[in-house]
Amino acid sequence: QGRSLSSTREGTSAKMNDNDAKTQIKNMVRFIEQEAREKAEEIQDQTNLELEAWRNGYKTSKRAEMKQEFEAEKKRKEVEGKIAESKMKYLEDEKIMQARFDSMLKMKKKAKAKLSEVVESARKGGSKSAAYKKLLLDLMVEGLLKMMESRVTIRCTKADFGLVDGLRKKAVDEFKSQMDKACAAAKTKFNMNVDLQMSKIPLKDGCIGGVWLLSAAYTSRPDAIIVRNSFDARLETCVYSLTPTLRTLLFPADEDRLKEIEESRKAALAKMHDH
């Protein structure tokens, strides 16, 4: 009976140890699972925080990048606008300048045609024949005074050859007379013989009239010095010297036109910015 009681106690003790072990194991499992959950939650929270920080950094960098791109695009548009405005201004100015040039050229052609008409009339022995002859003489004397050379060759148009040839001696005499007066005023004496010869080469057919005076001076070139006293050359000189005055008279400031140009520029720039 004693042995039976001892065996019963041992069985009960073993059963309790098994239960305790199972309980402890369950507790350990629950603890481990709890630790794992907490760790997983901690990792998840950390991950969420890092993700949120990355998102915020990404948004910030993207905003900065977009702002930089916007500023660059804005600057590019401004540059394009200025270039377009400058180009438009250039084109408008070019049109105006071309129109002015054409007007000046047309006026010069009219003046040349009128001068040619007057010269042709004078050559035919009209009322201006004497004045034309005096003009040729004055041009020859002026050329001699400018050159101050002893050997001079004179060129003229085919139509004026006979007239100019007949004025040679008179031109030389007038030249000497003026030089004598100038030297007398300076209490000196003029002593230079002038040999004025006609050139066999006439001025080009399109030349209206007048004369060219040529001299070799101290060179071997027969045209080392040239005084162009043709009507064509004098007309060019006249137009050139009077160009500022002629432009002021022909092209006064047009305020309405300037406003129209400015409005067209603004409209074009506005369209460009819209695109």
Side-chain angles (χ1 to χ4, degrees):
Q1 190 177 4
R3 291 177 180 174
S4 175
L5 182 58
S6 177
S7 298
T8 301
R9 288 177 177 175
E10 290 177 0
T12 302
S13 177
K15 188 179 291 186
M16 288 179 63
N17 289 336
D18 289 341
N19 290 334
D20 290 341
K22 288 180 180 179
T23 300
Q24 288 179 0
I25 290 171
K26 287 180 180 179
N27 290 336
M28 290 177 66
V29 169
R30 281 198 295 272
F31 177 77
I32 292 170
E33 288 177 348
Q34 182 65 28
E35 285 289 324
R37 281 193 296 272
E38 290 178 357
K39 191 65 176 176
E41 289 175 359
E42 182 182 345
I43 293 172
Q44 185 63 44
D45 292 341
Q46 184 65 30
T47 302
N48 289 338
L49 289 173
E50 291 178 356
L51 180 60
E52 188 64 24
W54 178 84
R55 284 176 179 171
N56 291 335
Y58 180 78
K59 288 178 181 179
T60 303
S61 63
K62 273 296 179 184
R63 286 195 190 102
E65 184 180 344
M66 290 174 67
K67 184 177 180 181
Q68 188 176 4
E69 289 178 356
F70 174 78
E71 291 295 333
E73 183 66 15
K74 182 181 177 182
K75 188 173 182 180
R76 187 179 68 81
K77 287 288 186 182
E78 289 176 353
V79 172
E80 286 182 353
K82 289 180 180 179
I83 292 173
E85 184 178 6
S86 178
K87 186 176 181 180
M88 289 170 62
K89 183 178 182 301
Y90 172 77
L91 291 174
E92 290 289 345
D93 291 344
E94 188 179 35
K95 288 179 182 178
I96 293 172
M97 292 302 293
Q98 185 62 45
R100 289 183 176 183
F101 176 80
D102 292 343
S103 297
M104 292 288 288
L105 187 62
K106 186 184 293 184
M107 182 193 66
K108 188 168 71 172
K109 286 181 177 179
K110 286 184 178 179
K112 188 174 181 178
K114 182 63 177 178
L115 180 58
S116 180
E117 182 181 331
V118 171
V119 169
E120 285 299 324
S121 175
R123 283 175 180 155
K124 293 177 181 178
S127 59
K128 297 179 181 179
S129 179
Y132 181 65
K133 186 176 181 180
K134 177 69 167 55
L135 177 59
L136 286 176
L137 177 63
D138 290 343
L139 291 175
M140 294 166 69
V141 174
E142 182 185 56
L144 291 172
L145 290 169
K146 285 183 177 180
M147 300 189 82
M148 293 300 295
E149 294 292 333
S150 59
R151 295 180 62 84
V152 180
T153 303
I154 190 165
R155 288 178 62 188
C156 63
T157 61
K158 291 179 180 179
D160 290 332
F161 191 89
L163 183 58
V164 172
D165 189 27
L167 291 172
R168 278 190 303 146
K169 185 179 183 305
K170 194 171 183 179
V172 172
D173 291 341
E174 180 63 24
F175 165 72
K176 287 183 177 181
S177 175
Q178 292 193 27
M179 290 304 302
D180 286 338
K181 290 178 183 178
C183 290
K187 295 181 180 181
T188 185
K189 187 176 181 181
F190 179 69
N191 186 18
M192 184 178 78
N193 293 321
V194 178
D195 181 15
L196 183 60
Q197 297 294 326
M198 293 295 297
S199 172
K200 295 180 180 180
I201 304 173
L203 295 176
K204 60 183 180 180
D205 293 336
C207 184
I208 301 171
V211 294
W212 280 20
L213 285 84
L214 304 88
S215 177
Y218 299 102
T219 70
S220 59
R221 288 175 50 195
D223 58 350
I225 303 175
I226 302 177
V227 175
R228 293 176 175 85
N229 260 356
S230 64
F231 298 148
D232 305 71
R234 299 302 287 266
L235 178 62
E236 287 289 342
T237 302
C238 182
V239 171
Y240 178 79
S241 60
L242 291 176
T243 291
T245 304
L246 292 172
R247 283 178 177 169
T248 302
L249 294 173
L250 293 173
F251 317 114
D254 188 349
E255 296 297 331
D256 294 335
R257 178 55 182 157
L258 292 175
K259 289 180 181 179
E260 184 181 332
I261 293 172
E262 187 62 27
E263 288 175 1
S264 67
R265 287 177 188 163
K266 289 181 180 178
L269 288 172
K271 288 182 180 179
M272 181 177 296
H273 288 313
D274 292 340
H275 291 303

